[in-house]
Amino acid sequence: MDVIQVAMTGIVGVLLAIQFKSGKSEYGIYIVTGVSVLIFFGILGQFSVISDAVFEMGTFLNLDASYLQTLMKMIGITYVSEFASAICKDAGYQTIAVQIEIFAKIMILLFCIPVLSMVMEKIGGFL
């Protein structure tokens, strides 16, 4: 999907959701969620290009692949949690959205611990 297709899909989805807002508001939420999932899968198709580029840069810089995998996992956690959080907020469930965001932040912190340990070891080696 290119930017124009995503933008048009989003606009059509919002316009359809607005039509149902006054009568059956739950249908509007279903439409927005469906459009969001459609756009999400469109972005996943582009994610493989990004991951290939990141790993190519990593080999060029002679970086360990495990750190690049950790970086890609953190990016994935961020994207999925923002997606789920936005859907929950749109449906009116802000408390659940905040809990998803907190959980994602903790998971990212857990993934960062090995990287932070490596950085501390490198700094200790310089001192």
Side-chain angles (χ1 to χ4, degrees), residues 5-120:
Q5 288 175 329
V6 169
M8 293 306 295
T9 303
I11 290 170
V12 168
V14 168
L15 291 175
L16 284 171
I18 288 172
Q19 293 297 318
F20 288 105
K21 192 172 189 174
S22 62
K24 296 271 189 174
S25 61
E26 64 271 8
Y27 291 151
I29 293 171
Y30 298 147
I31 291 170
V32 169
T33 302
V35 169
S36 297
V37 168
L38 183 68
I39 293 171
F40 177 79
F41 284 116
I43 292 171
L44 284 181
Q46 302 299 322
F47 192 71
S48 64
V49 175
I50 294 169
S51 66
D52 291 343
V54 167
F55 283 111
E56 184 177 321
M57 285 186 265
T59 57
F60 178 72
L61 297 173
N62 200 16
L63 295 175
D64 188 10
S66 65
Y67 297 121
L68 294 175
Q69 289 174 343
T70 302
L71 176 67
M72 296 306 288
K73 287 178 186 177
M74 286 190 265
I75 292 170
I77 289 170
T78 303
Y79 184 71
V80 169
S81 65
E82 285 294 319
F83 175 75
S85 174
I87 288 177
C88 291
K89 285 179 184 176
D90 191 43
Y93 295 98
Q94 285 79 14
T95 305
I96 295 173
V98 170
Q99 295 301 316
I100 291 171
E101 291 171 359
I102 290 171
F103 181 78
K105 290 173 185 175
I106 290 171
M107 291 302 297
I108 290 171
L109 181 62
L110 288 174
F111 278 113
C112 285
I113 291 173
V115 176
L116 289 174
S117 298
M118 186 269 309
V119 169
M120 293 300 199

